Amino acid sequence: MTSLNPMFNRSNTKSRVNTEKAPKTNNNIKDRKKRSDAKIDVKIPFSDAERKMIKQQAKMKNSSPTQYVSSLLAVGLTHGKAFPIVSYSATHKKSIHAKLKPSDHQKLFDCSVEWDCSLREAAYRITSLMINMNIGGIINE
């Protein structure tokens, strides 16, 4: 008995044509361009009290904590004052990010090499001084 649908009339004994295709490879892989305004992210660990203070100051400046810490760090790097050694603890679980321009990131790297410390520690050292100066009202930027 034959079916009305010709698809069901095929016999399974016929050899089927292999319809699988070889995987496509893209030989023309191009490197993606980097954005000209791309910023580099640095995580800075702060204690709970410092994070609270940063959030309050950022709220007064109508910005986010990341923007506030980034601006403090950029101002500190451009002023280039002598930054005192501070006690640094990398065990703080919560941190605040700072997004730096490549030129500022290079200055931060130079400071970390000069002080023989990590990027995070150098960023913390600069930021902690800038926060204390901003509390005293010395820098209002």
Side-chain angles (χ1 to χ4, degrees):
M1 179 157 116
T2 61
S3 176
L4 294 176
N5 190 341
M7 183 174 110
F8 295 120
N9 288 336
R10 292 188 210 162
S11 67
N12 289 337
T13 59
K14 293 183 182 179
S15 64
R16 295 186 180 171
V17 177
N18 190 1
T19 58
E20 294 179 21
K21 295 181 181 179
K24 294 182 180 180
T25 58
N26 190 0
N27 294 335
N28 299 333
I29 297 175
K30 296 180 182 178
D31 291 334
R32 295 176 64 179
K33 290 185 179 180
K34 263 198 145 172
R35 289 180 56 135
S36 61
D37 61 345
K39 295 190 176 182
I40 302 169
D41 190 43
V42 177
K43 283 175 60 174
I44 309 168
F46 289 105
S47 66
D48 293 335
E50 290 169 331
R51 275 197 347 270
K52 185 177 179 181
M53 191 178 355
I54 289 170
K55 288 179 182 180
Q56 288 172 347
Q57 290 179 6
K59 179 76 174 176
M60 289 189 316
K61 301 277 186 179
N62 293 329
S63 65
S64 70
T66 299
Q67 291 172 337
Y68 181 68
V69 170
S70 300
S71 66
L72 282 179
L73 197 52
V75 168
L77 286 169
T78 56
H79 282 39
K81 296 183 179 180
F83 297 101
I85 298 173
V86 293
S87 61
Y88 172 74
S89 175
T91 58
H92 298 299
K93 293 186 179 182
K94 293 189 177 180
S95 59
I96 296 179
H97 294 254
K99 300 198 182 267
L100 301 174
K101 296 178 187 174
S103 60
D104 290 338
H105 188 267
Q106 182 62 41
K107 290 177 189 175
L108 182 64
F109 178 76
D110 293 340
C111 289
S112 70
V113 168
E114 181 183 336
W115 298 332
D116 191 29
C117 62
S118 67
L119 278 173
R120 289 180 179 187
E121 187 173 351
Y124 179 79
R125 187 172 171 177
I126 295 168
T127 308
S128 64
L129 176 71
M130 295 302 293
I131 290 170
N132 293 335
M133 290 174 69
N134 203 7
I135 289 173
I138 296 173
I139 293 181
N140 291 320
E141 296 190 42

